[in-house]
Amino acid sequence: MKLKDFKFGYADAEREYTYMPTIIKDAFYDPYNYLEELQEGPEFMLVGRKGVGKTAYKNKLQQLSEDGNINSDILSINIGELDYSYFSKLVNGRFDGPQKYQKVWDWVIGIYIIKYMYENKFELQKEMLEIINILNNNEIHLSDDLPAIVKKYNKKYGKLSLKGIEIGKELSINSTSLDVFEFVDKLFNNIRKHFFNKKLLLIFDGLDDILRLKKEKSEMISGLMRSANYINTSNYKNGTNIKVIILMREDILVYINDPDMNKIKRDVSLPLSWDSAKLLELVELRFKLTSDDENVWKKIFGNKIHNYLSWDYILGFTLSRPRDILQFLVESQKLFPDKNKLSYSEIHDVLKRYSTDYFIEEMKDELTGIIPDEIVQNILPIFSNIGNRNFTYNDFVESVNAVTAKKFSPDFYKETLNVLMQNSLIGQIQLISEYSKETKTTTKNSRVYFKYKNPRLQLNLSNKFLVHQGLYKALNFTLKK
């Protein structure tokens, strides 16, 4: 078969689900059985680096629901569509620190749930109808989309007027207005009185946009995590068939300062990562969509490159993520659509295109919102100006200053290097003492460590650093054989 005959999918999981649904239906790979745990277990956070397939899990659940293979309804919530600037008015100074935004997220989740109940024609109890009546009389309608509802609620500073509204005794409201905290408590008390014959899974995706909030991003994200944790625990205790799921980028968790987050992460998160063998199984599933041949990879890329297995050699240019290796295949398909086998020089043509058109742009997307845009846009010139794959902290400082024509604080350089290391754009070279039984001597040897392979790696400015191999072709660095 020719390369153009295969279906490798898109870099964006949502586009893939829209235009190539057969990939999710027939080639989805769940190596840890997380689908079942996300539906039935206490775990509600799927955590992993960008590009590891978190959104694919959401799409798989959506597909299973639409095909009637699970007794669940899926509400997919892209929180990037919300205007977070409204949230501060809604909390109105009631809390500070980690609890500041929990109630706002409770409110967002609650609105999504009653919209779902309203649109699916639930038989609503009197108290719930009264709550909807309060919203309508404040010109907040469940037929609106959530961004519009948030905007309208914000104009009222998070307080709903009760003027001219007839309230039943069950609602027990004595004041003339209902603030976001009182509204949330009464809303969830009434939600739990209704029967859900299908499990409702609310899946939050698109947290990347919160990174641009700078000062409040930690409080905003921890508020969402606290909200999901509280709602899920309460619903489990009360037998309410609703669960909140969060698709969380691993590197975002680093920026959350909340004393309770470690307990939440340990108890209810599912870490999604891939080793070489699991990635190869995933790729083979893609091949099987269009071919029954065995060893398709070897037939296209050969068995060995530079004395390495071709799979290991090419995987070295990735961060061991599904998106990376699949986009390498897409680039192969684009460059050589009519080929069924690539030569050594053709593989390196693909790696060049992969490095310049995909890898560096993917890294920029990953860094956006975490470090200043000026550094993100100049990251390639900064490494290029250093002129070497290996560099020191001082080399980095000098290059940043030269490229930006600015000087920054020592903390800025350290934090930027740490972000680059956390995202595996650079690795760290460490001298390791090794004892030889044969010579009975101890020698120090250099070892390179990247965060995606060594999660506990910590920044040490006295060590040298190494640019990831995926950037070599874009930087015109030579590769040691």
Side-chain angles (χ1 to χ4, degrees), residues 49-61:
R49 293 173 292 131
K50 189 173 181 180
V52 296
K54 299 184 296 296
T55 302
Y57 273 83
K58 178 194 73 175
N59 291 340
K60 183 62 178 178
L61 287 169

Side-chain angles (χ1 to χ4, degrees), residues 298-352:
K298 289 181 182 179
K299 290 178 180 178
I300 298 173
F301 302 105
N303 186 38
K304 288 196 172 183
I305 302 174
H306 293 321
N307 296 319
Y308 293 94
L309 291 175
S310 62
W311 171 258
D312 294 335
Y313 181 82
I314 291 170
L315 199 62
F317 289 84
T318 77
L319 296 179
S320 292
R321 305 180 300 188
R323 184 183 296 170
D324 294 345
I325 193 63
L326 291 172
Q327 286 307 298
F328 168 80
L329 291 171
V330 168
E331 293 299 337
S332 301
Q333 195 175 49
K334 287 178 180 177
L335 272 180
F336 304 105
D338 294 316
K339 295 268 188 175
N340 56 20
K341 179 176 176 59
L342 299 186
S343 67
Y344 166 79
S345 62
E346 288 168 339
I347 290 171
H348 277 267
D349 286 342
V350 175
L351 287 171
K352 173 83 173 176

Side-chain angles (χ1 to χ4, degrees), residues 88-230:
S88 58
K89 284 186 181 179
L90 297 181
V91 296
N92 201 23
R94 288 282 293 269
F95 291 104
D96 290 318
Q99 295 182 329
K100 184 175 182 180
Y101 290 107
Q102 179 178 338
K103 282 294 182 182
V104 180
W105 286 114
D106 289 348
W107 178 84
V108 168
I109 292 168
I111 289 293
Y112 267 111
I113 294 171
I114 60 170
K115 274 176 65 65
Y116 166 82
M117 296 169 70
Y118 177 79
E119 290 167 358
N120 285 274
K121 297 180 171 34
F122 271 55
E123 187 175 337
L124 300 175
Q125 296 184 11
K126 181 181 178 182
E127 298 94 320
M128 184 63 78
L129 292 172
E130 288 175 341
I131 287 175
I132 294 173
N133 186 38
I134 292 171
L135 290 172
N136 287 334
N137 277 273
N138 282 270
E139 299 180 349
I140 296 173
H141 308 292
L142 293 179
S143 57
D144 294 337
D145 59 21
L146 194 71
I149 291 175
V150 172
K151 186 176 182 179
K152 289 179 180 179
Y153 205 33
N154 173 71
K155 287 181 178 179
K156 299 180 178 295
Y157 290 85
K159 288 194 174 184
L160 298 173
S161 171
L162 301 179
K163 187 177 180 180
I165 299 175
E166 190 173 324
I167 307 288
K169 292 181 181 179
E170 296 88 349
L171 213 50
S172 301
I173 298 171
N174 299 315
S175 60
T176 58
S177 65
L178 192 67
D179 70 18
V180 66
F181 303 93
E182 296 166 323
F183 179 80
V184 163
D185 289 341
K186 296 183 185 302
L187 178 58
F188 276 96
N189 283 339
N190 282 294
I191 286 172
R192 294 183 183 114
K193 294 177 182 178
H194 291 78
F195 174 71
F196 290 75
N197 61 351
K198 283 187 175 183
K199 189 156 196 172
L200 177 60
L201 301 177
L202 298 96
I203 306 180
F204 281 84
D205 199 0
L207 269 71
D208 296 30
D209 284 355
I210 292 181
L211 293 174
R212 288 203 173 270
L213 293 177
K214 307 298 181 186
K215 293 181 180 179
E216 295 187 319
K217 62 188 175 187
S218 172
E219 294 174 344
M220 193 76 74
I221 296 168
S222 65
L224 175 58
M225 292 168 63
R226 280 174 170 270
S227 173
N229 186 56
Y230 174 76

